[in-house]
Amino acid sequence: MTVSRDPSAGALAGLRVVDASTLFAGPMAAMHLGDMGADVVKVEHPARPDPSRTHGAAKDGVNLWWKTLGRNKRTITANLGSPGGREVFLALAERSDVVIENFRPGTLERWGLGYDELAERNPGLVLARVSGFGQVGPYRTRPGFGTLAEAMSGFAAMTGEPDGPPTLPPFGLADGVASLATAFAVMVALSTRERTGRGQVVDTAIVEPILAMLGPQITRWDQLRTVQPRTGNRSANNAPRNTYRTRDGQWVAVSTSAQSIAERVVRLVGRPDLIDEPWFARGADRARHADELDDAVGGWIAERTRDEVVAAFEEAQAAVAPIYDAQDIVDDPQFRALGTIHEIDDPELGPLLMQGPVFRLSGNDGVIRHTGRAHGADTDAVLDELGFDADRVAALRAEGAV
């Protein structure tokens, strides 16, 4: 397990980011930037904190997801719909490089905080706008959540058993993909600013990044007028490819995307004769014989423990992976070698584990400086940095602006 290190070494140290978004895609994009050293200020409504603070499991009343999603962020409160809150937000934008927001399109403009107003104060600002369906089009003002993106992108239609209903993931898949796309887009915009001196607007529609990950479904429809059917854990492109139960009640996944791997697998399970079948030479043809291949592979695996199966596959240089839960991940030596799991000291819960940054750099690795902080914990400190004196802060509090 890895413990956070000196934040001054972060690759994005000195980058200033305002996270004015809620729930998952926008806040996760800000988290990625914060992991790499950016100074992220999380802005929440004084009376309505980010709903992610109450999403999912809790321990002794302390939300656990927020500890990860809110990490590396200083937290302040501001009611952006009030005159005082608008003043605070403009002051933040003026000294920042990036603002991330996910209000319904048109909301910032209604508050007098659209890109024109922000760029007038700070021409180099990058405004990342994250919404369900983007800033234009007939759906632009619809409420947008990852579930809707998973439905409309084609993901749900192609996921599930052939005779079952479309299937949604049990976590924020579309939001997570959109967060990575947004962080990438922000860095592209900042790179462009290096040449032009000017910022720009990033428009992320949550429905689009996940659509981009789903392979050639659009081209297939255009050229063949067919759609990818639901195949469960099987693939239409290769076989054997499935999950298989072991003798000790565990599960493993097998993939044979490469022809050489497919041949190694059937040799391992005692069916080298299958290699001589005319249909075995192509993945799509093997997929049409998935029942026979699953019987051979699944029967062999069912007679062995998970550890025995993994060891035999590794010796045969065939592709297998145990199907892990969280405990398996924490205990796995590969994740330990990568430093995937970080142990961070939290003021409420003490030492706790969480997944770390999503990649490593040889010179400026990501860091976790602290876990998600309390609602508004840094309001006074940030306002002081922005030049608000004690009397003005008191007036803002009296107004309900912070």
Side-chain angles (χ1 to χ4, degrees), residues 107-246:
T107 301
L108 282 186
E109 286 75 10
R110 188 172 70 249
W111 291 334
L113 292 171
Y115 189 67
D116 289 344
E117 290 85 357
L118 300 180
E120 184 177 351
R121 294 284 193 101
N122 181 358
L125 184 72
V126 172
L127 175 62
R129 315 195 76 168
V130 184
S131 61
F133 302 103
Q135 299 296 309
V136 299
Y139 303 159
R140 63 189 292 268
T141 59
R142 286 186 181 182
F145 298 100
T147 297
L148 309 187
E150 288 144 12
M152 292 182 65
S153 65
F155 174 86
M158 65 176 68
T159 306
E161 294 299 326
D163 57 351
T167 302
L168 296 167
F171 64 98
L173 175 62
D175 287 288
V177 176
S179 77
L180 292 166
T182 301
F184 170 60
V186 164
M187 298 312 298
V188 171
L190 291 172
S191 177
T192 302
R193 188 181 71 175
E194 291 293 314
R195 300 192 304 274
T196 67
R198 298 197 60 85
Q200 59 183 296
V201 176
V202 169
D203 178 5
T204 301
I206 297 174
V207 71
E208 288 185 301
I210 187 171
L211 191 157
M213 299 297 106
L214 294 178
Q217 63 164 331
I218 303 302
T219 307
R220 173 176 174 163
W221 171 251
D222 174 61
Q223 296 296 307
L224 302 175
R225 286 297 188 265
T226 63
V227 297
Q228 180 173 323
R230 290 192 288 281
T231 58
N233 290 326
R234 288 178 170 176
S235 168
N237 301 311
N238 65 82
R241 192 265 198 180
N242 213 328
T243 60
Y244 305 93
R245 190 178 180 91
T246 61

Side-chain angles (χ1 to χ4, degrees), residues 337-359:
L338 291 172
T340 303
I341 308 302
H342 292 227
E343 183 177 88
I344 311 298
D345 189 45
D346 179 76
E348 294 179 286
L349 298 174
L352 59 82
L353 301 182
M354 65 177 64
Q355 62 271 37
V358 296
F359 57 85

Side-chain angles (χ1 to χ4, degrees), residues 62-120:
V62 178
N63 181 263
L64 300 179
W65 181 216
W66 171 252
K67 293 300 182 181
T68 296
L69 190 63
R71 72 190 188 199
N72 292 334
K73 301 177 185 182
R74 296 191 288 164
T75 59
I76 73 167
T77 60
N79 177 2
L80 306 189
S82 69
R86 179 178 183 272
E87 178 188 1
V88 170
F89 195 73
L90 285 171
L92 271 172
E94 188 170 1
R95 69 177 292 276
S96 298
D97 301 288
V98 180
V99 169
I100 300 174
E101 64 95 5
N102 72 334
F103 299 102
R104 286 201 198 185
T107 301
L108 282 186
E109 286 75 10
R110 188 172 70 249
W111 291 334
L113 292 171
Y115 189 67
D116 289 344
E117 290 85 357
L118 300 180
E120 184 177 351

Side-chain angles (χ1 to χ4, degrees), residues 221-280:
W221 171 251
D222 174 61
Q223 296 296 307
L224 302 175
R225 286 297 188 265
T226 63
V227 297
Q228 180 173 323
R230 290 192 288 281
T231 58
N233 290 326
R234 288 178 170 176
S235 168
N237 301 311
N238 65 82
R241 192 265 198 180
N242 213 328
T243 60
Y244 305 93
R245 190 178 180 91
T246 61
R247 192 182 70 201
D248 53 348
Q250 302 297 311
W251 291 85
V252 297
V254 172
S255 175
T256 56
S257 296
Q259 179 67 23
S260 60
I261 299 295
E263 293 177 7
R264 291 171 194 167
V265 169
V266 295
R267 286 193 186 100
L268 173 64
V269 302
R271 291 296 308 276
D273 57 293
L274 293 172
I275 298 173
D276 297 327
E277 295 287 348
W279 49 262
F280 196 86

